[in-house]
Amino acid sequence: MASQPRRHSAAVSVGKVKVGGGHPIVVQSMTNTDTADVVSTVNQTMALAQAGSELVRVTVNTDEAARAVPKIVETLNKFGVRVPIIGDFHYNGHLLLKKYPEMARALAKYRINPGNVNIGKKHDDNFRIMIEAAVEYDRPVRIGVNWGSLDSALLTRMMDENNLLAEPLDARTVTLQAIVRSALESAQAAEQYGLRRDQIILSAKVSGVQDLIRVYRMLAAECDYALHVGLTEAGLGSKGIVASTAGIGVLLQEGIGDTIRASLTPLPNGDRTDEVIVCQQILQALELRSFTPQVTACPGCGRTTSTFFQDMADQIQTYLRTQMPVWGARYSGVEEMKVAVMGCVVNGPGESKHSNIGISLPGTFEEPVAPVYVDGKLKCTLRGDRIVEEFLTILNDYVDRTYAAKALEAVDA
């Protein structure tokens, strides 16, 4: 089923990246280094950017972190990494933005959690000061509501109002409504303090998939602000990946969402860039964007007791991802290439024919040959111990021949 048309939203400029307004959905990530550690933060930001993150958020919670931000941005620029850096503020952002103007200028966007400032209270000077800084430096703001730090006064008031109803709603529904109201009231206050509508992005983070879908449906129905979508504290390993994919995927299928992040808990010694790859795969699986050639590989069964095809599929997928920075700069459309690595004759030849290029490896007791198909036609049959190397040679030749021509056509056009 095709996804629904994208919801209309105001376009927001975050550095040179366009969010909303019909622009491609943007992949965002966040560092987990101590921002005051310039070297570590630069290295991780570069890794995230190289993996494909188009926006990178850093924590700005101390004087040391605030002083480090301009150095981080300057160092990234020296390395040619132009990814916009977003400052994540809680509690003391009004103090830091006022005290460190160089930091305020160096950041491409500010993220404010209304539950962790005093908006809605008798004096909302902290929120106002942060918005005034954004206005002064012409920076967009993400107003990010999180149910783990929801404005308690607002929630209490809405719970009391609900209790007076003839048929009160359940507490969870009221909480989701409070999240939406917090986001919208904060956005309205930001506009009153001088921030333009096209400088505001909203998010409403929860940790449950069904709650995420419900709250974003409500939020999308009530505003045309650009929306950042993702579970908060998605979790570890497969749980976090599956939950993020389920929640974000449903919303994107409905046309809701302008930027996304998979807030995965890294495995011990895990790679922070995993969250970027997960977001890219969600977008590519939904055919909303293409980032890297996709490998179709069978799961294996009793016909494929050898692990050779699994090793080959892994090698090829890794090779494709590592080649994309080079191919992406040189060729047009290569990110949409489909490669099949199949383990036996049951579906192998057929699946290979449906791909741009594919190989069907011999299953258990099958003849030790590996037919290679290119654009649906049998090209050759590989044998022996150099199947992987020979297939990669054919793959490289195919990319050079097919996508170089497209790049030339694009130039000629």
Side-chain angles (χ1 to χ4, degrees), residues 10-323:
V12 180
S13 296
V14 185
K16 294 185 177 181
V17 176
K18 301 293 186 181
V19 175
H23 292 283
I25 298 164
V26 174
V27 173
Q28 181 171 321
S29 62
M30 185 175 184
T31 61
N32 62 355
T33 57
D34 178 359
T35 306
D37 184 342
V38 174
V39 173
S40 294
T41 304
V42 165
N43 287 340
Q44 190 173 88
T45 301
M46 289 177 65
L48 291 166
Q50 186 173 14
S53 182
E54 294 156 308
L55 300 173
V56 176
R57 183 158 49 112
V58 302
T59 297
V60 187
N61 58 339
T62 63
D63 291 87
E64 293 77 15
R67 285 193 293 266
V69 166
K71 299 176 185 176
I72 291 167
V73 174
E74 180 184 359
T75 305
L76 289 169
N77 286 335
K78 287 181 178 178
F79 281 103
V81 179
R82 311 295 182 187
V83 62
I85 302 300
I86 301 164
D88 191 54
F89 295 100
H90 297 269
Y91 309 111
N92 62 349
H94 60 295
L95 300 174
L96 297 175
L97 284 167
K98 198 167 185 178
K99 187 176 180 181
Y100 298 100
E102 289 187 8
M103 175 268 294
R105 281 190 291 267
L107 292 169
K109 185 178 79 171
Y110 311 151
R111 188 269 182 155
I112 303 173
N113 183 338
N116 289 337
V117 295
N118 60 353
I119 186 170
K121 298 183 180 178
K122 188 172 182 180
H123 301 289
D124 63 355
D125 291 345
N126 296 358
F127 182 80
R128 175 181 55 78
I129 289 169
M130 297 175 78
I131 297 301
E132 288 175 349
V135 172
E136 179 180 354
Y137 299 110
D138 193 26
R139 295 295 185 266
V141 169
R142 172 157 73 93
I143 297 174
V145 181
N146 191 307
W147 76 343
S149 50
L150 183 59
D151 181 348
S152 57
L154 172 64
L155 180 59
T156 298
R157 185 170 72 250
M158 290 186 65
M159 286 291 186
D160 290 342
E161 292 170 356
N162 181 64
N163 290 334
L164 297 176
L165 298 176
E167 296 183 9
L169 301 172
D170 62 274
R172 184 172 290 267
T173 298
V174 177
T175 299
L176 298 182
Q177 290 178 342
I179 292 172
V180 172
R181 185 180 295 186
S182 175
L184 295 177
E185 289 182 356
S186 299
Q188 291 163 6
E191 289 195 60
Q192 291 172 5
Y193 293 135
L195 203 62
R196 301 190 311 271
R197 179 168 287 263
D198 66 353
Q199 292 179 304
I200 298 173
I201 299 173
L202 299 184
S203 66
K205 295 291 193 75
V206 295
S207 56
V209 171
Q210 294 295 349
D211 290 326
L212 181 82
I213 294 168
R214 287 180 66 192
V215 77
Y216 271 94
R217 283 173 174 166
M218 288 190 284
L219 186 59
E222 294 194 35
C223 74
D224 64 353
Y225 295 109
L227 299 181
H228 171 75
V229 174
L231 285 171
T232 186
E233 297 99 27
L236 188 73
S238 60
K239 184 269 180 185
I241 294 172
V242 171
S244 292
T245 302
I248 295 173
V250 168
L251 292 169
L252 294 181
Q253 188 72 10
E254 296 180 3
I256 299 171
D258 301 293
T259 105
I260 62 172
R261 181 188 173 212
S263 300
L264 306 179
T265 303
L267 293 167
N269 301 314
D271 193 335
R272 189 67 170 181
T273 62
D274 285 348
E275 65 179 59
V276 178
I277 295 171
V278 168
C279 286
Q280 290 179 333
Q281 288 298 319
I282 292 171
L283 292 171
Q284 194 144 354
L286 293 173
E287 299 182 2
L288 294 171
R289 290 185 68 183
S290 295
F291 298 94
T292 189
Q294 297 294 285
V295 175
T296 299
C298 65
C301 66
R303 299 177 64 91
T304 55
T305 53
S306 168
T307 61
F308 179 70
F309 87 94
Q310 299 166 337
D311 294 334
M312 185 171 180
D314 181 57
Q315 289 180 56
I316 292 172
Q317 186 160 284
T318 301
Y319 180 78
L320 292 172
R321 181 165 288 280
T322 56
Q323 283 294 108

